[in-house]
Amino acid sequence: QVQVVESGGGLVQAGGSLRLSCAASGRILRINFMGWYRQAPGKERELVAGISSGGSTNYADSVKGRFTISRDNAKNTAYLQMNSLKPEDTAIYHCKVVLVDMTWTARDYWGQGTQVTVSS
């Protein structure tokens, strides 16, 4: 009964920008964490950016200064603004939401992923 849906991926040229959205819906009592992960072929999955319930943020070193994560609590939505994109940013981006559902237990929910491709 909880769903996580991402949108906003696409194809852009190097130096361009994209904004990804991650919306959680359903019976949600509390969201503890929302974050963006990415995985490219031949690479390990990495946390790109995360934001806690208290508003603290953290970023991978490779995206600091270029990406910004934010949230809209009223909409249960997180955003990832990606600027100055590089070909190395090409990957499938997944949103993970850590939330307390009707079981009163914190659980991880993952979105289906959205493809980001950056051309040279």
Side-chain angles (χ1 to χ4, degrees), residues 13-29:
Q13 292 184 339
S17 298
L18 286 173
R19 190 177 78 155
L20 307 183
S21 298
C22 170
S25 62
R27 289 278 197 170
I28 300 169
L29 275 61

Side-chain angles (χ1 to χ4, degrees), residues 25-102:
S25 62
R27 289 278 197 170
I28 300 169
L29 275 61
R30 172 187 173 89
I31 293 179
N32 294 335
F33 172 87
M34 303 185 80
W36 289 96
Y37 295 75
R38 70 184 181 189
Q39 187 165 21
K43 303 293 185 180
E44 294 186 357
R45 185 194 68 184
E46 66 171 340
L47 174 65
V48 178
I51 186 165
S52 72
S53 61
S56 298
T57 59
N58 60 290
Y59 299 91
D61 288 341
S62 60
V63 307
K64 286 182 178 178
R66 300 188 296 120
F67 292 9
T68 303
I69 189 170
S70 61
R71 67 183 184 185
D72 184 336
N73 291 335
K75 297 180 179 180
N76 289 332
T77 299
Y79 305 94
L80 185 67
Q81 179 66 45
M82 304 185 293
N83 298 326
S84 302
L85 283 162
K86 305 175 181 179
E88 307 92 89
D89 296 318
T90 296
I92 299 175
Y93 286 69
H94 289 265
C95 180
K96 184 181 81 172
V97 183
V98 182
L99 58 85
V100 178
D101 60 19
M102 294 303 295

